[in-house]
Amino acid sequence: AVLGARTANDEGMAVVAQQREVDAALADIDVNPPLSDATKQRLREAFTAKSAARQRAEERGEGAPVRVYADGIYDLFHSGHARSLQQAKQLFPNATLIVGVCGDEVTLKMKGRTVLSHDVRLEAVRHCRWADEVVPNAPWLLTPDFIERYNIDYVVHGEDPSLINGYDVYMWLRVIDRYRTIKRTDGISTSDIILTIVKDYDSYVRRNLKRGYSAKDMNVGFVKEKLLQAEDTVKGVRRNVGDFLKMFNQQWHELVSPSLLRIADGALSPRSPRSEDDDTGGGGGDGGGGGNMTFGG
């Protein structure tokens, strides 16, 4: 009985300590619009309640179906996004992955302009093999109502912090053990892709001009367009001259060089034997002149 009383007392003290932690955390939350009293009360209840996933696992045993939620912007959907969703899907052996795609308005406000619209980003996620369900216009700040509406057991996110005015939006989920972290894929991100395009801006403008896009389509000025076209013309002339010289050099070696080599071979070959008469420089036999010839008076 004494042991039972101590255990109950310990559990009660733990609940009180946790509630104090919750109240302190809620007091630090500064979002616009502010959280309502009802939402804060729901958060308090969520902090002190047993995880729905843990309860279901206890009731149904290992391998029970688990609903996992991941959210993001997923602009210019790339391999890093796909790998993050793969990690989320494979956290549990029997997981259903729900993917939330944040809307244009909230993303513009919280992080900045996207390249692709919400509908295009949503469609890209729908075609990812790891996504079982997709939630459009996902909220930036998750609430207990949202978690219950989609029957979510665990929320996953990358290692980078998600803060609103310094507040970790996943903090309450960490406390009740319904949050899991997945690793970021190094070497690829939407920002890296945009940086590549910005860095090689002129090259991509030229590319699209050649494909039929107008300067107006790309918000490029008239002077800029003509300058790029002039540079392309100069490069084209240089390339044509280079090709001509290369062809000329090749034909020179194929046609002219062998002839010169034959001439050179003929000039350097051994001369045929000649007679002694040839060596005298002309004149005939016995009296042809030469060194023995005398002049009379």
Side-chain angles (χ1 to χ4, degrees):
V2 174
L3 180 60
R6 286 181 179 176
T7 301
N9 184 61
D10 290 342
E11 291 179 352
M13 292 296 293
V15 170
V16 170
Q18 193 175 45
Q19 287 177 338
R20 287 176 178 173
E21 181 182 356
V22 171
D23 289 337
L26 292 173
D28 291 337
I29 299 177
D30 181 18
V31 294
N32 188 20
L35 298 179
S36 65
D37 292 338
T39 299
K40 288 187 177 183
Q41 180 59 34
R42 296 294 306 281
L43 287 172
R44 290 188 181 92
E45 293 171 359
F47 268 112
T48 56
K50 180 181 289 188
S51 160
R54 182 179 297 173
Q55 185 173 344
R56 281 197 289 270
E58 291 175 357
E59 293 172 355
R60 294 179 292 189
E62 293 295 328
V66 176
R67 291 177 62 82
V68 179
Y69 177 79
D71 59 9
I73 301 169
Y74 304 112
D75 195 16
L76 299 175
F77 193 88
H78 52 72
S79 60
H81 293 140
R83 288 172 183 168
S84 70
L85 297 182
Q86 179 184 8
Q87 290 182 62
K89 174 74 173 177
Q90 295 177 343
L91 279 174
F92 302 94
N94 192 12
T96 296
L97 180 61
I98 308 104
V99 184
V101 181
C102 298
D104 293 334
E105 186 176 347
V106 67
T107 302
L108 177 62
K109 179 181 178 181
M110 303 302 297
K111 199 165 184 178
R113 184 178 300 279
T114 59
V115 177
L116 304 177
S117 69
H118 172 261
D119 290 342
V120 176
R121 293 183 284 113
L122 193 70
E123 195 65 17
V125 174
R126 279 201 180 104
H127 282 79
C128 178
R129 62 176 293 190
W130 307 110
D132 298 306
E133 301 174 20
V134 180
V135 179
N137 292 302
W140 204 268
L141 180 63
L142 299 181
T143 63
D145 287 336
F146 183 86
I147 298 298
E148 290 181 7
R149 186 190 317 159
Y150 291 97
N151 197 22
I152 296 168
D153 294 318
Y154 290 95
V155 173
V156 302
H157 196 266
E159 299 164 311
D160 51 313
S162 295
L163 307 175
I164 298 180
N165 297 331
Y167 167 70
D168 182 355
V169 299
Y170 298 111
M171 179 271 298
W172 69 276
L173 290 161
R174 297 177 194 270
V175 173
I176 62 174
D177 193 29
R178 296 178 70 175
Y179 179 86
R180 294 293 183 270
T181 300
I182 53 179
K183 292 185 177 297
R184 178 185 179 88
T185 300
D186 294 329
I188 181 67
S189 71
T190 299
S191 296
D192 290 338
I193 295 173
I194 294 174
L195 177 62
T196 299
I197 296 173
V198 171
K199 186 171 60 176
D200 298 326
Y201 169 76
D202 287 354
S203 297
Y204 290 107
V205 171
R206 288 191 182 95
R207 172 187 181 276
N208 277 10
L209 286 173
K210 292 177 181 177
R211 283 162 175 75
Y213 289 89
S214 68
K216 184 177 180 181
D217 293 334
M218 296 181 286
N219 198 27
V220 173
F222 176 81
V223 175
K224 181 71 172 179
E225 177 190 12
K226 298 306 176 186
L227 179 62
L228 292 176
Q229 290 175 342
E231 290 178 357
D232 284 344
T233 301
V234 172
K235 288 181 179 179
V237 171
R238 290 177 177 173
R239 184 168 54 252
N240 292 336
V241 171
D243 292 342
F244 172 77
L245 292 176
K246 182 178 179 181
M247 180 185 66
F248 178 81
N249 185 56
Q250 182 179 358
Q251 292 182 350
W252 169 268
H253 284 287
E254 291 177 355
L255 301 176
V256 180
S257 294
S259 300
L260 292 177
L261 288 174
R262 285 197 296 272
I263 294 172
D265 287 342
L268 296 175
S269 61
R271 298 171 65 182
S272 59
R274 291 182 297 178
S275 64
E276 294 180 358
D277 292 342
D278 292 335
D279 293 333
T280 61
D286 295 335
N292 296 326
M293 185 175 182
T294 59
F295 295 89

